[in-house]
Amino acid sequence: MGNAQPDRVRGGGLPTGWGSRTAGLSFEFYPELRRDGDYVHSRFYIDRFTHRANGWAYSATVGRIALTTLADPGTARLGGRMTVGGRAPAPGRAKVVIFGGAARSSTGYPISSFAVQTGSGAPTWISSPLYAGDQRITVTDTATHRSCVLDRHGVRGPNNVVDFDLAAPGFGHPDSVCTG
């Protein structure tokens, strides 16, 4: 993160101090759209820029993050039924967002994963692959604007079933936290 940028009007450099002002950056990796469901969507957060050189502020070395699929060790997938009172929801009515899991880059930097799935009108849902571990699932009913957050701990492997009923309190999970 540089502390200066080119001054395109007068030439030379324009001091910005961005490197010393940045509080944190979140990075998310999206695979090629047609392969979206095949790979873990990696994510990491940087909130310390303690290495300084040549007017720049640097974070710790993040290292290499391998492209990971469900066939790799340390991965998981969530899915299940998605209904409204037992019927399939209209296309686009249900949106599922998942953050969690735990992995490490080649330098040991902590990384996590995320998945986003919008209902197709089928009575089921399935996430893209995730890193195994604790997962936070947020389900939004786009028709009512209700959202419920559900935590699942120690999620591992390809067959983790979590069913939702958008018509039920807590979307069928009394342990979820809901708004709207």
Side-chain angles (χ1 to χ4, degrees), residues 82 84 89-97 117-119 139-148 166 171:
M82 178 68 72
V84 181
R93 178 164 177 182
K95 181 177 180 182
V96 180
V97 178
Q117 197 267 348
T118 302
V139 178
T140 302
D141 180 339
T142 61
T144 64
H145 304 291
R146 272 181 57 217
S147 285
C148 292
L166 300 179
F171 296 154

Side-chain angles (χ1 to χ4, degrees), residues 57-77:
Y58 296 89
S59 71
T61 302
V62 173
R64 208 174 127 261
I65 298 173
L67 281 175
T68 307
T69 70
L70 196 56
D72 292 306
T75 58
R77 184 184 311 218

Side-chain angles (χ1 to χ4, degrees), residues 2-16 18 56:
N3 284 315
Q5 68 184 40
D7 185 335
R8 299 196 191 281
V9 176
R10 294 181 205 97
L14 179 66
T16 62
W18 288 121
W56 288 72

Side-chain angles (χ1 to χ4, degrees), residues 78 97-100 133-139 148-155 162 164 170 173-177:
L78 292 157
V97 178
I98 305 167
F99 286 98
D134 297 346
Q135 307 291 339
R136 173 158 282 180
I137 308 164
T138 303
V139 178
C148 292
V149 176
L150 181 66
D151 290 329
R152 286 292 178 254
H153 301 285
V155 176
V162 183
F164 293 102
H173 296 274
D175 56 332
S176 63
V177 177

Side-chain angles (χ1 to χ4, degrees), residues 17-137:
W18 288 121
S20 58
R21 288 195 260 177
T22 301
L25 299 171
S26 183
F27 294 88
E28 296 180 346
F29 295 91
Y30 295 82
E32 174 182 343
L33 188 57
R34 66 185 169 87
R35 305 287 308 271
D36 188 63
D38 297 338
Y39 292 102
V40 171
H41 298 184
S42 302
R43 114 185 263 281
F44 63 92
Y45 184 74
I46 297 174
D47 62 354
R48 297 191 66 191
F49 301 90
T50 55
H51 307 290
R52 301 198 186 282
N54 303 318
W56 288 72
Y58 296 89
S59 71
T61 302
V62 173
R64 208 174 127 261
I65 298 173
L67 281 175
T68 307
T69 70
L70 196 56
D72 292 306
T75 58
R77 184 184 311 218
L78 292 157
R81 296 195 44 78
M82 178 68 72
T83 60
V84 181
R87 296 183 321 275
R93 178 164 177 182
K95 181 177 180 182
V96 180
V97 178
I98 305 167
F99 286 98
R104 298 276 176 177
S105 72
S106 63
T107 62
Y109 200 89
I111 54 176
S112 61
S113 58
F114 69 98
V116 178
Q117 197 267 348
T118 302
S120 65
T124 58
W125 73 279
I126 192 160
S127 73
S128 58
L130 300 156
Y131 293 125
D134 297 346
Q135 307 291 339
R136 173 158 282 180
I137 308 164

